[in-house]
């Protein structure tokens, strides 16, 4: 029994070590870039979005709003209080929807992580995130302005922890917090990837996420809801799944539903949206991820 356990440990360590060597550099660079954006560019990005309120871009404003959402380094918990502040300053709700949607789906740090999946997966993630933000803005605009779409009562301006007067110390402290928050999920993702590679037959992965493309995309979109915990933690899983037969469309669907329906954040979204709009949001995310995944499968 001891020999069997020792052998299994060696196998798991091999898969863990290989995966860690493959993506550790992407994670480290992502941490550094994310912290640099948070410390030196975050306020500028948010000021740029706030200044759009004085422009006359109209419907076209959802395009820069989506791009600024991607550039924002905040997670959903930081995005919602910030969006509350934007709303109180008179920001248009369609622009706000595009900004929030893209900010929830992607950030500069996650972009770097995603390069570990290859250029095709990175392009699919960037384009699908941008289009998801655009469509969210269009739908909110189509809903009309009879009643407010968002309800931000009780959400205050997010607290900034980057307050040290020394810019280098601000950066070091931000990197430390970043590592503390994302590190455990990153290692957990590698461990889960090692377990999948050791004990999950490749043909079974192909059956779930590859063979029947429509079924695979639907499965990936559904699995993304309960499984997603942290962007960095899912990269090792996606890398292993793609290597074992997952289609690019299924991966794209997972990358949309995962962050947008992250279990720990849905409570805050329900408060902001209200029950009716919350259910519409879930339906929109699932439908968009499925359709996008099918289109990506046809394109690649």
């Amino acid at each position: 029994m001891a020999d069997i356990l020792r052998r299994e440990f060696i196998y798991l360590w091999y898969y863990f070590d290989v995966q860690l060597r493959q993506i550790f550099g992407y994670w480290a660079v992502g941490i550094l870039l994310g912290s640099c954006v948070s410390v030196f560019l975050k306020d500028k990005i948010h000021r740029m979005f706030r200044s759009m309120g004085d422009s006359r871009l109209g419907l076209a404003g959802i395009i820069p709003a989506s791009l600024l959402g991607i550039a924002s380094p905040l997670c959903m918990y930081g995005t919602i209080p910030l969006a509350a502040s934007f709303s109180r300053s008179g920001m248009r709700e369609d622009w706000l929807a595009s900004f929030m949607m893209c900010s929830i789906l992607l950030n500069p740090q996650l972009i770097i992580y995603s390069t570990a999946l290859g250029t095709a997966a990175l392009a699919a993630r960037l384009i699908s995130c941008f289009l998801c933000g655009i469509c969210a803005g269009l739908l909110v605009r189509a809903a009309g302005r009879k009643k407010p779409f968002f309800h931000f009562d009780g959400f205050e301006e997010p607290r900034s922890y980057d307050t040290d007067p020394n810019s280098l110390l601000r950066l070091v402290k931000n990197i430390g917090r970043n590592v503390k928050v994302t590190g455990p999920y990153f290692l957990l993702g590698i461990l889960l990837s090692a377990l999948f590679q050791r004990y999950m037959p490749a043909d079974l992965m192909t059956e779930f996420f590859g063979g029947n493309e429509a079924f695979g995309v639907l499965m990936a979109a559904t699995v993304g809801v309960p499984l997603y915990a942290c962007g960095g933690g899912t990269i090792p899983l996606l890398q292993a799944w793609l290597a074992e037969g997952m289609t690019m469309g299924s991966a794209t669907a997972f990358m949309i539903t995962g962050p947008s329906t992250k279990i720990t954040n849905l409570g805050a979204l329900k408060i902001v949206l209200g029950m009716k709009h919350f259910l519409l949001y879930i339906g929109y995310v699932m439908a968009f991820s499925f359709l996008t995944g099918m289109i990506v499968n046809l394109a690649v």
Side-chain angles (χ1 to χ4, degrees):
M1 184 66 179
D3 289 340
I4 295 175
L5 291 175
R6 188 180 302 110
R7 185 182 63 195
E8 290 304 311
F9 175 80
I10 290 172
Y11 278 126
L12 285 174
W13 175 253
Y14 168 77
Y15 288 118
F16 184 93
D17 182 59
V18 168
Q19 192 82 7
L20 181 63
R21 290 172 183 268
Q22 287 178 342
I23 66 174
F24 177 80
Y26 296 101
W27 178 74
V29 172
I31 289 285
L32 179 60
L33 176 64
S35 292
C36 286
V37 172
S38 182
V39 171
F40 302 116
L41 296 176
K42 176 180 65 180
D43 292 339
K44 183 176 181 179
I45 292 169
H46 297 158
R47 282 198 302 270
M48 289 174 63
F49 183 55
R50 197 182 298 275
S51 68
M52 285 175 54
D54 299 325
S55 68
R56 297 181 179 179
L57 291 173
L59 184 60
I62 62 177
I63 296 175
S66 298
L67 293 174
L68 289 172
I70 293 174
S72 174
L74 295 180
C75 64
M76 188 183 292
Y77 277 119
T79 296
I80 290 177
L82 181 68
S85 174
F86 290 149
S87 178
R88 284 191 286 269
S89 67
M91 183 65 64
R92 289 170 53 123
E93 288 197 322
D94 50 351
W95 297 359
L96 203 54
S98 293
F99 178 87
M100 290 176 63
M101 190 78 249
C102 285
S103 182
I104 288 168
L105 286 173
L106 200 54
N107 57 58
Q109 189 167 319
L110 190 52
I111 291 173
I112 296 298
Y113 291 164
S114 300
T115 58
L117 302 175
T119 54
L122 176 62
R125 183 161 218 167
L126 285 168
I127 295 171
S128 63
C129 166
F130 177 66
L131 292 178
C132 192
I134 294 290
C135 291
L138 291 173
L139 288 174
V140 168
R141 181 178 177 84
R145 299 185 179 183
K146 294 180 180 179
K147 293 182 180 180
F149 193 87
F150 301 106
H151 305 280
F152 291 112
D153 298 339
F155 288 95
E156 302 297 332
E157 186 83 21
R159 176 186 173 187
S160 176
Y161 293 93
D162 300 312
T163 56
D164 196 292
N166 186 300
S167 58
L168 181 60
L169 285 178
R170 284 204 310 274
L171 178 61
V172 170
K173 289 179 179 179
N174 191 285
I175 290 174
R177 290 194 300 272
N178 213 343
V179 170
K180 184 178 179 180
V181 170
T182 66
Y185 291 108
F186 174 71
L187 294 175
L188 177 61
I190 294 177
L191 176 60
L192 290 175
S193 175
L195 289 169
F196 270 104
Q197 291 180 74
R198 174 58 181 158
Y199 300 112
M200 182 70 73
D203 57 347
L204 187 60
M205 291 298 297
T206 302
E207 182 180 346
F208 276 131
F209 297 126
N212 185 326
E213 291 187 354
F215 176 74
V217 171
L218 181 61
M219 281 292 296
T222 305
V223 167
V225 176
L227 188 60
Y228 196 98
C230 172
T234 57
I235 296 301
L237 283 173
L238 283 168
Q239 191 178 57
W241 290 347
L242 285 167
E244 294 182 8
M246 185 184 221
T247 65
M248 190 59 67
S250 295
T252 303
F254 182 89
M255 290 187 288
I256 295 171
T257 60
S260 56
T261 59
K262 191 175 171 183
I263 295 295
T264 54
N265 297 327
L266 288 181
L269 275 174
K270 181 177 176 296
I271 295 172
V272 169
L273 296 173
M275 179 55 75
K276 179 182 176 181
H277 291 161
F278 176 74
L279 293 175
L280 290 173
Y281 168 81
I282 297 296
Y284 165 69
V285 166
M286 296 300 294
F288 184 90
S289 64
F290 178 75
L291 291 174
T292 302
M294 294 300 295
I295 293 171
V296 169
N297 276 343
L298 291 173
V300 297

